[in-house]
Amino acid sequence: MTPVALSLALTISLLTAVAATLTYDDVAEASCYLRTYGFLENEENHQQSSSLDNAITLNEALSLFQKYYSLPGNGVLIVETIRVMRRPRCGVADIHAYSPLTRKWTRTHLMWNFRLANRDTLRTIQSAFALWSKQSSLTFSRDPLQPDILISYQSGAHAYENSGDSCPPPRVPFTGPRSVVAHAFFPTGAPNQVTEVHVNETEPWHITLARPPSDKLYLLQKR
């Protein structure tokens, strides 16, 4: 089989399982998702690659994604895969170019604040930090003036609360409800650094500690 024929066969294989319901737009959407969340290298790194190489790379990236989320597919784009990709999720990449374990705070007692949060929200966030503390060596207290972790509601393309600088890529802008629900930034270890957590304000959040209804996202548990 010639390289061109093999490339075509591989591309078609990505659609074979559900050709009646998935389109080339779905393949493009999946490719963009895989790049955004670290499963596939950016396009500029593959400008000189052949269509055969790109088809193989996409197949491998899909396989990695499916293994990461315990999905069937074996590198073939199927309905269940695209459905998982369209779920509301955190905006931080699943696969990192560096080890997150090398990015940490220089102390174990940390201060936090949620900008402009009401009493119910503060109570829920305090419970979330208590859960984190039970599973780690970290302890937390609220400090509205000098937090180590600053949480805020944001929408669309937005900026850091602490500095006013634009929130950089690869963080995904909040495009509306049922998309990216939040994203955060790893600490750098720099003195006086404020680590920010941005929460999509357009999502239908359930704030209180009571059991949430099925059409709401639970702020305490979402990560």
Side-chain angles (χ1 to χ4, degrees), residues 160-218:
Y160 289 107
E161 284 290 331
N162 191 51
S163 67
D165 295 333
S166 296
C167 194
R171 302 300 187 266
V172 181
F174 296 144
T175 56
R178 300 297 177 180
S179 57
V180 175
V181 299
H183 54 221
F185 302 84
F186 288 105
T188 64
N192 302 318
Q193 184 218 4
V194 178
T195 300
E196 296 204 18
V197 179
H198 298 162
V199 181
N200 188 346
E201 68 178 356
T202 66
E203 295 290 347
W205 292 108
H206 176 78
I207 302 299
T208 64
L209 295 175
R211 183 183 296 274
S214 59
D215 61 340
K216 299 287 186 179
L217 298 178
Y218 197 9

Side-chain angles (χ1 to χ4, degrees), residues 36-170:
T36 298
Y37 296 108
F39 296 94
L40 187 62
E41 289 188 51
N42 290 326
E43 283 184 317
E44 55 264 26
N45 297 329
H46 293 283
Q47 287 179 348
Q48 304 302 319
S49 299
S50 67
S51 57
L52 171 61
D53 292 335
N54 290 337
I56 293 173
T57 300
L58 180 58
N59 182 268
E60 291 173 345
L62 276 169
S63 180
L64 178 60
F65 174 81
Q66 288 161 341
K67 289 178 181 178
Y68 191 92
Y69 284 96
S70 301
L71 299 172
N74 295 322
V76 175
L77 183 61
I78 60 176
V79 168
E80 186 172 350
T81 301
I82 202 75
R83 185 179 294 130
V84 170
M85 289 180 173
R86 289 172 177 167
R87 288 177 182 171
R89 62 156 294 154
C90 171
V92 178
D94 295 315
I95 308 296
H96 299 276
Y98 57 86
S99 171
L101 297 178
T102 65
R103 310 282 291 274
K104 56 186 179 182
W105 289 283
T106 57
R107 55 189 179 279
T108 58
H109 183 71
L110 301 171
M111 315 304 289
W112 65 271
N113 189 39
F114 199 133
R115 180 178 175 271
L116 301 179
N118 60 27
R119 184 179 301 176
D120 285 338
T121 300
L122 291 175
R123 186 181 297 116
T124 297
I125 296 302
Q126 186 172 12
S127 296
F129 278 113
L131 290 174
W132 189 356
S133 184
K134 286 181 180 180
Q135 302 299 321
S136 72
S137 60
L138 299 175
T139 57
F140 303 92
S141 300
R142 183 178 176 232
D143 185 342
L145 299 179
Q146 292 183 309
D148 300 296
I149 302 171
L150 178 59
I151 310 167
S152 62
Y153 284 117
Q154 302 287 346
S155 63
H158 52 275
Y160 289 107
E161 284 290 331
N162 191 51
S163 67
D165 295 333
S166 296
C167 194

